[in-house]
Amino acid sequence: MIKRFSYKPLNVAVDIDAMRIGYPCINRTLDCSANKTFRLKSYSEERLVETVDNNLRCLKEILAFNVDHDIYFFRITSDLVPFASHEINTFNWQNHFSGAFQELGDFIDERDMRVAMHPDQFIVLNSIHEHVYERSLAELRYHAEMLDLMHVDATAKIQIHVGGVYDDKEASMERFAGRYNELDDQIKKRLVVENDDVSYTIEDCIQIHEMTGIPVVFDYLHHHVKRSDGSLNEILRRVDATWSDYDGLPIYDYSSQEPGERAGKHAEHIDRHDFTDFLEKTKEHAFDVMLEIKDKEKSAIDAIEAARQKDLL
DNA sequence: CAGTGTCAAGGTGGA
DNA sequence: TCCACCTTGACACTG
């Protein structure tokens, strides 16, 4: 088993001897949700503060649960601050919650955890609509500000997809690259791009890396659904090369296919055999893996156990 | 109080 | 041209 490394903020390589396995956003065991929100119609500053207070408290609880279960990778929900980038929100949440964010960041840092975020489908950097592009920028700003307020290093990534095709893929990829290159460092240092199951393959993402330097997240199931040519290991070697020490280990997203459902549909629970098979196949690579499985932490706990049993962790 | 239609936001592809 | 789907929870209204 090869050694795996993580990079602390001091830029000193620390041997942690194991990949991090994580899950996204929600913990179903705890009765505490960091995704609490409310309707735009019910917006008030009071409601916002109350909701964010709850969300930050629950995020802390979830992270503590994770440490107790040896889970060192977690995707933070984009709903942590509802309407953060919406024009209705004129409240200085950054300032108001800076202490709480810092506290969360310290917790993450002290335990050598890694976090990431994944803004949802409405964030389209390469949109042909100016207003969509501008809203996307504002939303990316919110994500970056939040991670900055936690003072987590540049290994805490924000992952997005390339976006739309608009009947001209080449032009759309170039538009993505042009807009990425114009971003300021606050966003750029965290942004990474991931293959999707409809439009952009891992090869496309690697091509965009060549145009921009952006690191590439490998999504295993999307790759399975919308395949590029080339062997898995060959592609992963190229993916790994898009990540520098500054960015931390490459991130792979893994999910099992739900049996008997549409190709690409995420499974209810992890298929342990399929997962350890995936780890066997990717043995030569050092990475952190995010499990996109519906039952979340239950699958993560199972995955860690399964990997340990086969001496893959 | 349980059931359920709907929620800030986009893009694709099938009907 | 329109609508379901993505992925998903949870809000908030209705009966």
Side-chain angles (χ1 to χ4, degrees):
Chain A
M1 187 63 200
I2 48 166
K3 293 285 183 185
R4 299 177 190 275
F5 298 91
S6 84
Y7 289 84
K8 300 276 274 185
L10 293 171
N11 227 10
V12 178
V14 178
D15 188 351
I16 58 163
D17 197 31
M19 84 176 87
R20 297 181 181 86
I21 294 178
Y23 66 97
C25 306
I26 294 162
N27 181 304
R28 296 180 188 281
T29 305
L30 297 171
D31 187 23
C32 201
S33 165
N35 300 352
K36 240 179 121 60
T37 183
F38 49 87
R39 295 283 175 259
L40 181 57
K41 272 200 295 189
S42 348
Y43 184 92
S44 71
E45 215 157 88
E46 195 190 5
R47 189 78 190 268
L48 180 74
V49 171
E50 176 192 312
T51 306
V52 176
D53 268 332
N54 169 83
N55 290 350
L56 293 173
R57 186 174 50 77
C58 287
L59 177 56
K60 180 80 181 285
E61 201 173 310
I62 293 169
L63 291 172
F65 173 99
N66 291 351
V67 172
D68 285 347
H69 294 83
D70 292 339
I71 299 168
Y72 287 95
F73 191 24
F74 186 66
R75 182 183 297 164
I76 296 174
T77 173
S78 294
D79 290 335
L80 207 69
V81 181
F83 306 103
S85 71
H86 192 281
E87 61 180 14
I88 199 172
N89 186 350
T90 55
F91 182 68
N92 190 341
W93 55 268
Q94 295 91 333
N95 191 47
H96 189 272
F97 294 106
S98 63
F101 280 122
Q102 171 80 68
E103 209 177 293
L104 279 162
D106 289 347
F107 187 89
I108 290 161
D109 200 41
E110 283 159 12
R111 286 156 188 83
D112 214 0
M113 304 175 93
R114 187 182 198 179
V115 292
M117 300 189 76
H118 194 336
D120 63 24
Q121 60 204 354
F122 308 107
I123 282 55
V124 187
L125 193 64
N126 78 343
S127 178
I128 53 175
H129 306 289
E130 195 67 22
H131 68 283
V132 174
Y133 166 58
E134 277 164 15
R135 272 204 296 266
S136 298
L137 263 189
E139 184 71 359
L140 289 175
R141 177 82 54 209
Y142 148 60
H143 285 74
E145 277 177 342
M146 215 182 67
L147 293 169
D148 280 358
L149 285 165
M150 292 183 185
H151 296 98
V152 287
D153 66 15
T155 66
K157 294 303 186 191
I158 301 169
Q159 46 188 107
I160 60 170
H161 295 292
V162 182
V165 173
Y166 313 102
D167 291 324
D168 189 344
K169 195 163 176 180
E170 202 179 324
S172 295
M173 285 167 70
E174 270 166 20
R175 202 165 44 253
F176 181 98
R179 290 192 173 154
Y180 174 84
N181 288 329
E182 278 172 26
L183 293 172
D184 57 57
D185 195 53
Q186 185 183 32
I187 296 174
K188 206 186 249 177
K189 74 178 179 196
R190 299 197 186 275
L191 206 62
V192 294
V193 70
E194 178 182 5
N195 57 308
D196 64 74
D197 58 348
V198 184
S199 306
Y200 292 97
T201 64
I202 196 72
E203 296 277 357
D204 296 330
C205 292
I206 290 168
Q207 198 182 319
I208 285 176
H209 163 78
E210 284 159 8
M211 297 157 82
T212 58
I214 191 172
V216 174
V217 172
F218 174 73
D219 186 306
Y220 182 65
L221 186 59
H222 286 166
H223 181 65
H224 207 71
V225 173
K226 189 169 173 62
R227 204 171 262 296
S228 314
D229 296 329
S231 81
L232 180 66
N233 277 309
E234 189 186 314
I235 285 167
L236 291 180
R237 278 194 287 276
R238 295 173 66 201
V239 167
D240 294 349
T242 67
W243 294 72
S244 69
D245 291 352
Y246 174 76
D247 297 311
L249 287 182
I251 296 173
Y252 296 177
D253 279 0
Y254 170 89
S255 53
S256 299
Q257 168 71 40
E258 178 70 21
E261 290 282 350
R262 176 189 58 81
K265 190 169 172 74
H266 291 176
E268 185 60 37
H269 188 73
I270 197 164
D271 180 328
R272 291 171 67 134
H273 179 76
D274 188 61
F275 180 66
T276 53
D277 188 52
F278 162 76
L279 292 184
E280 290 280 0
K281 280 195 287 194
T282 58
K283 222 173 177 173
E284 70 172 85
H285 306 275
F287 59 91
D288 289 328
V289 61
M290 179 63 63
L291 305 176
E292 297 189 320
I293 318 259
K294 283 191 186 159
D295 69 358
K296 311 284 180 182
E297 78 285 353
K298 289 191 180 64
S299 281
I301 290 165
D302 247 24
I304 290 168
E305 193 187 293
R308 280 181 178 157
Q309 272 176 10
K310 295 212 166 186
D311 207 23
L312 290 162
L313 187 65

